[in-house]
Amino acid sequence: MQSIDTARRHAVAALAGSALLAALPSRALAQQQQLPPLVKLVVGYSAGGPVDGAARLLAPALSQELGTQVIVDNRPGASGSVGGDAVAKAAPDGALLFFGASPTITINPNIQRRMPFDPMKDLTPIAPLVDYTNVLVVNKDLPVHSVAELLAYAKARPGKVFYGSAGIGASNHLSGALLEKMTAVQLTHVPYKGSAPALADVMGGTVTMMFDIIATSRPFIQSGKIRALAVTSRQRNRMLPEVPTMIESGVAGYDVGGWFGLYGPARMDPVLVARLNAAAHKALAREDIAHRLREQGYEVWSGGAELLAAKGQADRRLWATAAQGIEAE
């Protein structure tokens, strides 16, 4: 039979072990958190698009950092809402994660009457990943060379200046709607099934202007097929350093852009969130990953889960202003 002294020593050792475990930093605990052998990174858009491309670039790096296989799972539909809903309804064990594009998180709730989930309530923010800036481009033959000249041109022709977008409720649609509200100018929106055909019609002169991702417009700007008037970020963009911002161009407060973030289902274990955030941060810190993202027009945007949550809430409020009177089909 075990003596009282021996039992006391065992009890003291157990208590000391518990105290040591409690004293471990959250990062050490996060590293012990188990993940399923296969993690699916859900993309709410078809394969081959910009969101899919960024996800497929990051997935192998996440696999290495997490020590488990990470694959991209495309579930397109309803501007990303189909994929987001699948993750929102999944078990919070890390097997299904959402590579969320900002329009799904911040625009869809403002324009989709039957959105199947609430991104703010039904998803757990894990890590910010990348952000990007749009550029306002016009047809090369339009007799304007600045935002001020464009606004004067449009005010002299109410409703006769057409701007293209990737579709109703797309971020470049609401970028134009926001410009209308902030400047009291009257434009006419022309929705397309994607940004590429809209940009082609800007070059062809069917529509006057559009807001587009810098990476896709830059070659045509440099070749003189379209003209860049302003970027939509608060600071100038390193890919187009000679192009002023909308704020510099006289539209005070115009600071909009897009981003991608990593999300999980609601009620995820904070320890698991910490591990996933650390893995994303390390993946984004790799120079080869950062370089390839920059080539695609993105900038690394790393930070804590709380940063992603705050950005989502702020942008949702911003787009609510632009989305008034707009409803997705």
Side-chain angles (χ1 to χ4, degrees):
M1 180 176 293
Q2 191 180 54
S3 68
I4 294 177
D5 286 343
T6 300
R8 182 180 292 111
R9 286 196 300 273
H10 287 170
V12 170
L15 287 172
S18 298
L20 178 61
L21 182 64
L24 283 173
S26 59
R27 182 177 179 182
L29 290 176
Q31 290 173 343
Q32 298 175 19
Q33 181 73 27
Q34 294 299 311
L35 279 167
L38 177 64
V39 173
K40 292 184 177 181
L41 194 59
V42 174
V43 172
Y45 298 87
S46 300
V51 186
D52 176 75
R56 291 184 186 277
L57 177 60
L58 280 173
L62 286 174
S63 295
Q64 293 176 10
E65 296 297 341
L66 292 170
T68 193
Q69 187 178 10
V70 180
I71 64 170
V72 173
D73 182 3
N74 297 93
R75 304 195 187 191
S79 299
S81 289
V82 170
D85 185 49
V87 174
K89 291 179 169 57
D93 59 1
L96 213 61
L97 302 175
F98 187 44
F99 193 90
S102 55
T104 307
I105 307 298
T106 64
I107 293 178
N108 289 6
N110 289 308
I111 65 172
Q112 291 184 359
R113 181 181 297 180
R114 298 181 181 86
M115 188 168 180
F117 73 103
D118 185 338
M120 301 303 166
K121 296 179 181 178
D122 301 327
L123 294 176
T124 297
I126 295 173
L129 299 173
V130 301
D131 61 15
Y132 59 89
T133 298
N134 287 338
V135 57
L136 171 58
V137 296
V138 299
N139 179 268
K140 64 180 178 59
D141 295 323
L142 194 73
V144 304
H145 293 80
S146 68
V147 173
E149 290 180 0
L150 173 66
L151 295 176
Y153 182 88
K155 286 180 179 178
R157 300 163 180 81
K160 295 182 180 180
V161 171
F162 299 88
Y163 71 98
S165 82
I168 295 175
S171 60
N172 49 6
H173 170 203
L174 294 193
S175 294
L178 184 63
L179 180 63
E180 288 186 89
K181 287 182 168 61
M182 295 180 72
T183 62
V185 69
Q186 183 181 344
L187 307 172
T188 297
H189 174 231
V190 182
Y192 288 78
K193 293 182 178 179
S195 290
L199 185 61
D201 274 1
V202 173
M203 286 186 277
T206 303
V207 293
T208 311
M209 54 177 273
M210 74 175 291
F211 290 88
D212 189 40
I213 295 174
I214 288 177
T216 55
S217 277
R218 187 183 179 208
F220 303 110
I221 295 169
Q222 292 176 329
S223 65
K225 292 182 179 179
I226 52 177
R227 182 180 302 126
L229 299 187
V231 295
T232 61
S233 53
R234 184 169 292 276
Q235 288 84 31
R236 293 196 181 198
N237 188 273
R238 60 169 188 81
M239 294 181 73
L240 294 172
E242 72 285 358
V243 178
T245 67
M246 293 289 287
I247 295 174
E248 286 179 299
S249 301
V251 188
Y254 196 103
D255 176 20
V256 299
W259 43 267
F260 303 152
L262 185 64
Y263 293 83
R267 298 176 297 280
M268 284 191 77
D269 186 337
V271 173
L272 179 56
V273 172
R275 181 181 178 190
L276 292 168
N277 180 280
H281 184 79
K282 288 181 179 179
L284 292 168
R286 298 185 183 186
E287 183 52 39
D288 60 326
I289 297 293
H291 175 71
R292 291 178 65 187
L293 285 170
R294 286 193 294 268
E295 286 185 327
Q296 294 182 20
Y298 304 118
E299 295 290 344
V300 170
W301 178 44
S302 58
E306 66 283 354
L307 176 63
L308 179 60
K311 181 61 173 173
Q313 292 168 353
D315 280 8
R316 183 167 172 173
R317 291 191 297 269
L318 170 70
W319 291 125
T321 299
Q324 290 176 1
I326 298 172
E327 183 175 326
E329 297 176 352

